[in-house]
Amino acid sequence: MGKNLKEAMKMLEDSQRRSEEENGKKLVSGDIPGPLQGRYENGCAYFHEEEREGLAKICRLAIHSRYEDFVVDGFNVLYNKKPVIYLSAAARPGLGQYLCNQLGLPFPCLCRVPCNTMFGSQHQMDVAFLEKLIKDDIERGRLPLLLVANAGTAAVGHTDKIGRLKELCEQYGIWLHVEGVNLATLALGYVSSSVLAATKCHSMTLTPGPWLGLPAVPAVTLYKHDDPALTLVAGLTSNKPADKLRALPLWLSLQYLGLDGIVERIKHACQLSQRLQESLKKVDHIKILVEDELSSPVVVFRFFQELPGSDPDPDAVPAPSGAPSAVGRERHSCDALNRWLGEQLKQMVPASGLTVMDLEVEGTCVRFSPLMTAAALGTRAEHVDQLAAGVGARLPLLTCTLQLREEFKHEVARTAGLVYVDDPNWPGIGVVRYEHANDDKNSLKLDPEGEKIHAGLLKKLNELESDLAFKMGPEYKSMKSCIYVGMASDGVDVSELVETIAGTAREIEENSRLLENMTEVVRKGIQEAQVQLQKANEERLLEEGVLRQIPVVGSVLNWFSPVQASQKGRTFNLTAGSLESTEHTYVYKVQGSGVTPPQTPSATRTKQRLPGQKPFKKSLRGSDAVSETSSVSHVEDLEKMEHLSCGQDAPEADSPEQHPGAPPAAEAEQPGALEDRAQHPDDGRPQVEDPESLR
């Protein structure tokens, strides 16, 4: 009985071992297990830490496959017939340089394929131009070796026309390699035709670590090749146990998540991107760059508003010319605003994983890629709703700022003493610099006097407590100080703002110059006073005589015959800048008036404001925003104040005279009428005092 049991256990172990060996063979030469099972047939896997390492190994495999004598002759084979690697213009930065360094190839072996310019997406490879480049290389005696296509570009997530590229590669015998974030959608049940065509390529690189939020997980390069000797030479396969253990972290993570967990994370990321894309389509002045990509997990958008006289087509590429086009001006104006919008949204929703990037054609854009960040940051649907709400809340501020920029520029240009500084990185209304009298316009060095004036100007502007934000900093491409005016909402009076800046800066300059002149005048006055006092002492000695200066004799002489000496001194008039005698002060016990000091110059225009109205705000008079209960009464009070101030400032000669017996007018009486009533108290009316006595 025991003997039979041992034989049964042995047979069971043998059958289990055979089944494991069969499964191992299927794992090496059959379908890739997991979510891609049934999609990428007869493929092998290479695990690597560096994302670009797999592509470098594939390039070596392609070189060994196309150059049969490469193992023997080496570089001589490549020199006689140079290989060409085709990369898209939208490929990852530095990818071509990395391949050349790893393979020992010169940079002329790289061919940059431009993207579409007339039809299709501007981030997709131009297939027709690629075919032309291949034909030209063949005519020159070169060998088209490998083509790197994108299933989701690194910038905006666009997918190349992989189906047409596959046909072109089969026609000319080119190895086709595909990479990109959209390859993650192969794990879903619904896949777009452009991404599904990637399963027919020769190789592809997957990065499951960022997709699934798994740290320290290697990347995977899948490839199809029948010669194990060439794959061993290329470094795609190895007999070292350490190389085989690279896949252990990924295998353990996938076993922990399971097939349903992997699909759920990728599906959740795609749903987040679609949710944001649908929300942004309802917002005006927001352009979404990822269009006609229903399954793309990347959303790239930017704020855009057409200025008067600009090209209505925002996708038009500005033609190279000497003068910048309207579209170019709009792009540079919107770049700073989009950069500000991206930073504001990142601070508001940190879990969104937003990034701000600069594109060659569109300019500065905001990128939302939940497939690369959602698993690690825990992005949820409510975070996407907060992003959409934040964009809508900041849209009025962006539109008003963009509209007021040109007006601010024109107002500064026609205001004396102000210079408009064109800073493309400032998201506010604009940048302005005040030119003082000693300012060297051609110098770019630091100006201490100008910095002092701008510091005082910044302090004065911040004390006004307006809705605008001001800051001081160096001028763009210069060391001179200037004032940066922040973003503005609707209702800002730009003319009043510019006039206030110019007047305040001019007043600060005059005050500082007056203080410097006063210091010099006081110093000279003190020296002159010392000289005059010394002369006065000498004259006093001559007048009193020598005997009065002797201690004992002088006292006796002064007792018998006292000297009637007047107290003489000097006073310095700061207004006139001259020395005056103090004799008038001691004799009449009053201080001399001297010269009447001039009124302090003030270049700022005082503007009557409504109660509660902040500076630089347009008046609500004549607008629909005035309420019947409060705002109308405020406007009427303002009109009365202006009317009375105008009446007081008018000369008496222009006021109409009234007869003493004439009845009073229904309106407010003029000062002349008050004077007549004061001179004739018998008309039965109460007497009114003279306005001068009231003052």
Side-chain angles (χ1 to χ4, degrees):
M1 185 70 178
K3 184 178 180 181
N4 296 333
L5 183 59
K6 290 182 180 180
E7 292 179 356
M9 291 294 296
K10 186 177 180 181
M11 294 174 59
L12 183 61
E13 291 175 358
D14 294 340
S15 61
Q16 185 177 1
R17 190 181 299 110
R18 286 194 299 268
S19 62
E20 290 178 356
E21 293 177 356
E22 292 177 358
N23 292 334
K25 293 180 180 179
K26 290 182 178 180
L27 179 61
V28 174
S29 61
D31 298 342
I32 301 299
L36 296 181
Q37 189 171 6
R39 293 272 171 96
Y40 198 77
E41 299 177 352
N42 300 325
C44 300
Y46 172 69
F47 301 92
H48 47 91
E49 301 295 336
E50 170 67 33
E51 294 183 5
R52 300 171 295 182
E53 182 183 352
L55 179 57
K57 302 288 186 181
I58 291 297
C59 290
R60 285 198 180 96
L61 179 60
I63 291 175
H64 284 283
S65 300
R66 298 297 302 273
Y67 295 92
E68 298 179 355
D69 299 333
F70 179 74
V71 179
V72 179
D73 298 336
F75 181 76
N76 293 328
V77 179
L78 302 181
Y79 180 78
N80 296 329
K81 199 171 187 179
K82 297 180 181 179
V84 182
I85 300 175
Y86 300 94
L87 297 175
S88 173
R92 287 182 294 172
L95 180 60
Q97 183 178 3
Y98 174 81
L99 293 178
C100 290
N101 293 335
Q102 294 295 321
L103 301 174
L105 297 176
F107 288 139
C109 292
L110 295 177
C111 182
R112 181 184 174 93
V113 182
C115 296
N116 295 324
T117 55
M118 299 297 295
F119 304 100
S121 171
Q122 296 182 356
H123 299 274
Q124 289 180 345
M125 190 183 302
D126 192 344
V127 181
F129 198 85
L130 172 62
E131 186 175 4
K132 181 178 180 300
L133 291 176
I134 294 174
K135 292 180 180 179
D136 294 343
D137 291 333
I138 293 176
E139 292 178 357
R140 295 176 184 176
R142 298 181 177 180
L143 178 64
L145 182 66
L146 184 138
L147 172 64
V148 182
N150 293 309
T153 56
V156 297
H158 284 203
T159 302
D160 293 330
K161 300 176 182 179
I162 301 179
R164 294 186 56 188
L165 294 177
K166 175 62 178 174
E167 297 176 358
L168 194 64
C169 291
E170 290 180 351
Q171 179 180 355
Y172 293 98
I174 303 175
W175 186 287
L176 179 60
H177 180 83
V178 182
E179 62 180 12
V181 295
N182 290 352
L183 293 176
T185 59
L186 291 173
L188 304 178
Y190 51 90
V191 186
S192 62
S193 59
S194 57
V195 178
L196 188 60
T199 58
K200 306 299 181 182
C201 63
H202 298 93
S203 60
M204 67 172 67
T205 298
L206 309 176
T207 55
W211 299 348
L212 305 176
L214 303 175
V217 168
V220 185
T221 296
L222 307 179
Y223 61 95
K224 299 177 182 178
H225 201 271
D226 298 333
D227 194 345
L230 293 181
T231 58
L232 182 62
V233 172
L236 291 171
T237 57
S238 176
N239 296 325
K240 298 180 181 180
D243 295 338
K244 296 181 180 180
L245 290 177
R246 290 180 182 176
L248 183 59
L250 178 59
W251 182 83
L252 292 175
S253 302
L254 296 180
Q255 291 296 323
Y256 172 75
L257 292 175
L259 179 60
D260 295 337
I262 296 172
V263 174
E264 183 61 29
R265 291 198 177 187
I266 298 175
K267 184 178 180 180
H268 174 68
C270 295
Q271 289 176 350
L272 291 177
S273 62
Q274 294 300 319
R275 188 185 186 93
L276 180 61
Q277 185 174 354
E278 293 297 330
S279 300
L280 293 180
K281 286 182 179 179
K282 303 176 184 178
V283 182
D284 297 334
H285 306 296
I286 295 296
K287 177 178 175 55
I288 303 176
L289 302 185
V290 182
E291 297 178 353
D292 300 330
E293 297 281 347
L294 299 178
S295 61
S296 176
V298 181
V299 179
V300 179
F301 62 93
R302 74 187 306 262
F303 165 75
F304 185 87
Q305 185 180 9
E306 298 176 3
L307 296 177
S310 64
D311 193 346
D313 184 12
D315 294 333
V317 180
S321 58
S325 63
V327 177
R329 291 197 305 270
E330 286 185 43
R331 170 180 168 177
H332 292 299
S333 300
C334 293
D335 282 350
L337 297 179
N338 281 282
R339 194 175 296 108
W340 175 85
L341 176 62
E343 295 298 333
Q344 290 289 319
L345 294 177
K346 287 168 59 178
Q347 295 178 5
M348 185 182 68
V349 190
S352 61
L354 292 178
T355 56
V356 180
M357 59 181 182
D358 294 327
L359 300 180
E360 184 177 357
V361 178
E362 290 83 1
T364 304
C365 301
V366 183
R367 183 173 185 261
F368 177 65
S369 181
L371 187 60
M372 304 296 291
T373 59
L377 299 178
T379 311
R380 299 188 301 271
E382 49 266 27
H383 295 147
V384 176
D385 296 338
Q386 292 178 10
L387 284 178
V391 173
R394 287 161 178 77
L395 192 62
L397 193 63
L398 294 172
T399 55
C400 293
T401 302
L402 187 60
Q403 292 173 358
L404 294 176
R405 274 191 167 188
E406 290 297 326
E407 183 180 356
F408 180 79
K409 182 178 181 180
H410 295 325
E411 288 290 338
V412 171
R414 62 186 183 186
T415 303
L418 296 183
V419 176
Y420 180 81
V421 179
D422 190 7
D423 191 345
N425 298 323
W426 178 246
I429 295 179
V431 185
V432 63
R433 179 168 58 87
Y434 176 74
E435 289 186 341
H436 54 89
N438 300 326
D439 189 7
D440 188 3
K441 301 178 178 61
N442 298 325
S443 177
L444 301 178
K445 298 181 180 179
L446 184 64
D447 185 12
E449 183 178 357
E451 186 176 359
K452 183 178 179 181
I453 294 175
H454 285 89
L457 176 59
L458 178 65
K459 182 179 179 181
K460 292 286 186 180
L461 292 175
N462 289 330
E463 290 176 354
L464 296 177
E465 297 182 356
S466 63
D467 292 337
L468 296 175
F470 302 93
K471 63 173 293 188
M472 188 182 74
E475 183 182 344
Y476 183 66
K477 296 183 179 180
S478 173
M479 295 297 294
K480 294 185 177 181
S481 299
C482 50
I483 297 297
Y484 289 79
V485 186
M487 306 185 72
S489 58
D490 192 13
V492 174
D493 193 348
V494 178
S495 59
E496 181 187 359
L497 171 63
V498 175
E499 186 175 353
T500 303
I501 293 175
T504 307
R506 196 176 298 114
E507 183 178 353
I508 294 174
E509 182 185 9
E510 292 175 357
N511 292 338
S512 62
R513 192 179 304 165
L514 178 62
L515 183 61
E516 293 176 359
N517 296 336
M518 186 181 300
T519 304
E520 184 66 20
V521 170
V522 169
R523 187 182 63 82
K524 293 181 179 179
I526 292 174
Q527 294 177 356
E528 184 179 355
Q530 291 176 351
V531 173
Q532 293 185 6
L533 290 176
Q534 185 177 1
K535 290 181 179 180
N537 290 332
E538 294 175 357
E539 293 176 357
R540 184 175 61 83
L541 291 176
L542 294 176
E543 182 181 353
E544 295 178 356
V546 180
L547 295 177
R548 293 183 183 273
Q549 310 302 323
I550 301 175
V552 179
V553 178
S555 300
V556 174
L557 187 60
N558 290 332
W559 184 74
F560 282 104
S561 176
V563 179
Q564 301 294 332
S566 61
Q567 297 179 356
K568 295 182 180 180
R570 296 292 184 271
T571 178
F572 186 73
N573 192 339
L574 293 177
T575 305
S578 61
L579 287 173
E580 299 177 359
S581 176
T582 59
E583 182 179 1
H584 185 273
T585 303
Y586 289 108
V587 172
Y588 299 102
K589 303 300 181 182
V590 294
Q591 189 172 357
S593 60
V595 182
T596 304
Q599 189 176 3
T600 303
S602 178
T604 58
R605 176 174 60 92
T606 59
K607 178 181 177 181
Q608 299 290 346
R609 299 188 182 91
L610 296 174
Q613 181 181 359
K614 292 187 177 182
F616 314 131
K617 285 291 185 180
K618 294 181 180 179
S619 177
L620 299 177
R621 184 182 308 171
S623 64
D624 297 336
V626 179
S627 62
E628 298 180 0
T629 57
S630 59
S631 300
V632 173
S633 61
H634 293 164
V635 174
E636 292 177 356
D637 295 341
L638 181 60
E639 292 178 352
K640 291 181 180 179
M641 291 169 60
E642 294 177 354
H643 181 70
L644 290 176
S645 63
C646 295
Q648 292 177 1
D649 296 339
E652 294 181 3
D654 296 337
S655 62
E657 298 182 358
Q658 294 184 359
H659 194 271
E667 293 79 16
E669 295 181 350
Q670 301 291 337
L674 295 174
E675 213 171 327
D676 293 340
R677 291 174 60 183
Q679 294 176 2
H680 301 276
D682 300 335
D683 55 355
R685 299 184 180 89
Q687 296 183 4
V688 181
E689 295 182 0
D690 188 80
E692 296 295 334
S693 63
L694 291 176
R695 295 193 185 93

